[in-house]
Amino acid sequence: MTALPVAHLHVTDVRRITPRMARITFTGDGLDALPTWPDQQLKLLFPRPGQRAPRLPEAPGGDGMRWYQAFLALPEDERPVMRSYTVRAHDPQRGRITVDFVLHDHHGSANEAGPATRWAATARVGDTLARYGPAAEYARPLPLDDPGLILLAGDETALPAIGSLAEALPATARAVAWIEVADGAEEQPLSTRADLAVHWVHRDRAPGGADGALLAAVRAARLPEEPAFAWLAGEAGAVRGLRRHLIAERGLDARRIDFTGYWRRRLSQDDAPTEEDLAEARERAAAARVQDKS
């Protein structure tokens, strides 16, 4: 029976790479054999106040559903806070992974100073988290067999994924990225072998305010050609707006867009899904079914 992808993670390094982003490195069981791919997601489990480490449920065998049911059965005040994050880098030889944490509030959302942000802002070497995942069946690689232009767009929460995607692009790839951040101090160098043009969108300079800055920048852009594929992530409403723009105004086939809402304005991951969230989930499921048939 397959072992569950659950283990504790121990902090080995903490660096502030920009004023609002911390890069934290972890070691832990199983990281030497971790399956890896660009834009790799996993669940991080954060301890509750007063806990030195998150309490993990015990579930026999490798049944993920039974483990999750046991997780939900933990008392609420003891149950770890679970959040999704991107693996920014993986070092299998040293058995380590690196995760980038956005520390600044999402300009007015209920995520301001949430449990993950509070933990990352004070993280120290020796602190302990836990992970669930990742699972290779959720990998969604870019279609690099198509020589056309790849469009990447997202806010700072998508920046770790965009960075990992950029590093994985081959020298023959052509890509363009729009990345929304608070201001110029949040820009990061992106390493890549590809022909990649990066456009930074600063919220502090956005005409008419921060809301819609990324969509406005992409809408105003003159692309050298129709994208062969688009990868979109960040605030859910902005991602939906970008996808609608690319389909309705750029004529891009919906099957050539990979989109994910990482967070929701005025709502946290613990809040119930909205009708728009459910519609997005249905659209993603439909797109996945079409891709599986192609």
Side-chain angles (χ1 to χ4, degrees):
M1 187 173 291
T2 304
L4 284 168
V6 180
H8 281 106
L9 296 172
H10 309 287
V11 176
T12 61
D13 185 62
V14 180
R15 289 190 295 135
R16 187 70 63 92
I17 58 174
T18 72
R20 298 177 177 88
M21 186 168 286
R23 176 162 292 171
I24 301 180
T25 302
F26 300 91
T27 189
D29 291 343
L31 296 184
D32 56 338
L34 197 74
T36 59
W37 57 88
D39 182 22
Q40 180 181 28
Q41 303 290 311
L42 81 166
K43 301 288 186 182
L44 293 182
L45 288 77
F46 296 84
R48 290 285 184 173
Q51 296 177 334
R52 294 182 59 86
R55 177 183 172 186
L56 298 179
E58 294 184 7
D63 189 330
M65 181 57 68
R66 292 177 65 184
W67 182 91
Y68 188 62
Q69 290 172 345
F71 171 81
L72 293 178
L74 292 174
E76 185 174 357
D77 60 346
E78 299 180 15
R79 186 190 313 141
V81 175
M82 183 182 291
R83 294 289 185 266
S84 298
Y85 276 88
T86 300
V87 177
R88 182 62 182 84
H90 176 223
D91 183 347
Q93 284 72 37
R94 302 175 71 188
R96 296 183 179 182
I97 59 171
T98 298
V99 178
D100 289 352
F101 293 80
V102 178
L103 302 181
H104 188 55
D105 69 281
H106 296 308
H107 42 282
S109 78
N111 291 327
E112 179 177 357
T117 297
R118 290 195 298 269
W119 181 90
T122 61
R124 300 290 184 270
V125 172
D127 288 351
T128 300
L129 290 185
R131 67 174 173 92
Y132 186 97
E137 57 264 30
Y138 294 108
R140 302 194 308 273
L142 295 178
L144 299 179
D145 54 336
D146 191 319
L149 184 72
I150 295 173
L151 185 151
L152 308 170
D155 59 22
E156 56 266 83
T157 64
L159 187 47
I162 292 174
S164 70
L165 290 168
E167 290 175 359
L169 291 174
T172 54
R174 294 175 300 114
V176 60
W178 275 269
I179 307 171
E180 178 189 324
V181 293
D183 52 42
E186 294 305 305
E187 294 186 13
Q188 299 178 24
L190 297 181
S191 175
T192 184
R193 296 168 293 167
D195 178 7
L196 171 64
V198 180
H199 304 275
W200 296 96
V201 181
H202 299 160
R203 283 193 295 273
D204 65 340
R205 300 180 185 174
D211 292 351
L214 182 61
L215 174 58
V218 174
R219 178 175 282 142
R222 290 189 177 183
L223 297 178
E225 61 187 273
E226 178 182 308
F229 188 81
W231 182 96
L232 315 172
E235 195 279 318
V239 168
R240 284 191 287 265
L242 284 166
R243 182 171 181 267
R244 291 165 185 158
H245 160 68
L246 291 174
I247 295 172
E249 300 176 42
R250 302 276 187 177
L252 189 59
D253 189 327
R255 293 171 296 181
R256 292 192 284 157
I257 303 175
D258 185 348
F259 65 104
T260 307
Y262 284 169
W263 61 281
R264 301 175 292 170
R265 201 178 306 277
R266 294 180 295 276
L267 294 172
S268 76
Q269 291 188 29
D270 297 321
D271 293 311
T274 65
E275 285 302 318
E276 286 189 318
D277 294 329
L278 295 174
E280 176 184 316
R282 289 191 291 268
E283 289 175 1
R284 285 173 55 82
R289 287 194 296 270
V290 171
Q291 290 172 357
D292 288 342
K293 294 177 181 179
S294 61

